[in-house]
Amino acid sequence: MVPEKDGFEGVEWRIRVADGSSEVPVTDTSLARKVWLRTKDLFSCLGLKVWMFLKKAWDIGANDPRKVIHCFKVGLALTLVSLFYFMRPLYDGVGGNAMWALMTVVLVFEPNVGATLYKCLNRIFATFFAGFLAFGVHWIASRSGDRFEPYIVGASVFLFGMYI
């Protein structure tokens, strides 16, 4: 197929046939055809993306099988914690704070025991430290009066957010 200029109509595609003549290809430009082609392209693109994801996941699993085992462990832990979260007696006793157990599993779980223990201790100490800082800022802000309290709280949030 070779584009050729035909007057003022713009570029027209022609097919050169073996005997030397050329023909204009007939294209079906109906709405149904366009919709079908776009839908087909969408699903083929989606299928390609799914295939590339599965290929990448397979390569990761083949290179380091411990990551696959870790993924199954995290999935099992999240499933169990979610089931405990949706159990009515536990939810009534603990309330909305049970969701923090789910977040802890997401943040803390590591492929080996040492890293998990380290992250757990780090999270515990950081929570206590943040609580002590919050009480200290609240104590200072409440002692400063109504006029300076918003400035002290705002400045401390900015500083702690900037440095921590």
Side-chain angles (χ1 to χ4, degrees), residues 4-22:
E4 296 177 358
K5 282 272 195 183
D6 282 342
F8 295 105
E9 298 174 13
V11 177
E12 181 181 89
W13 289 94
R14 294 185 172 269
I15 300 174
R16 294 193 188 226
V17 187
D19 64 358
S21 64
S22 63

Side-chain angles (χ1 to χ4, degrees), residues 1-128:
M1 295 177 65
V2 179
E4 296 177 358
K5 282 272 195 183
D6 282 342
F8 295 105
E9 298 174 13
V11 177
E12 181 181 89
W13 289 94
R14 294 185 172 269
I15 300 174
R16 294 193 188 226
V17 187
D19 64 358
S21 64
S22 63
E23 298 177 2
V24 176
V26 178
T27 58
D28 186 13
T29 58
S30 67
L31 181 63
R33 175 90 173 142
K34 288 180 182 179
V35 169
W36 166 249
L37 289 175
R38 295 225 175 145
T39 306
K40 188 174 83 169
D41 288 344
L42 176 72
F43 282 114
S44 65
C45 182
L46 182 65
L48 180 65
K49 286 183 180 183
V50 168
W51 176 256
M52 293 305 293
F53 170 76
L54 292 175
K55 184 176 183 297
K56 187 176 180 180
W58 182 266
D59 290 342
I60 289 172
N63 290 337
D64 192 6
R66 293 179 301 162
K67 288 185 181 180
V68 175
I69 294 169
H70 174 68
C71 290
F72 282 119
K73 287 180 185 177
V74 170
L76 180 64
L78 288 174
T79 303
L80 291 175
V81 169
S82 297
L83 288 176
F84 285 137
Y85 177 72
F86 288 116
M87 290 176 62
R88 254 314 160 210
L90 178 68
Y91 185 78
D92 291 339
V94 178
N97 294 328
M99 186 53 77
W100 286 104
L102 184 67
M103 293 304 297
T104 301
V105 169
V106 170
L107 291 174
V108 170
F109 211 62
E110 286 290 324
N112 53 24
V113 177
T116 302
L117 184 62
Y118 173 75
K119 281 183 116 177
C120 285
L121 292 174
N122 191 12
R123 184 171 168 94
I124 290 168
F125 290 134
T127 301
F128 279 123

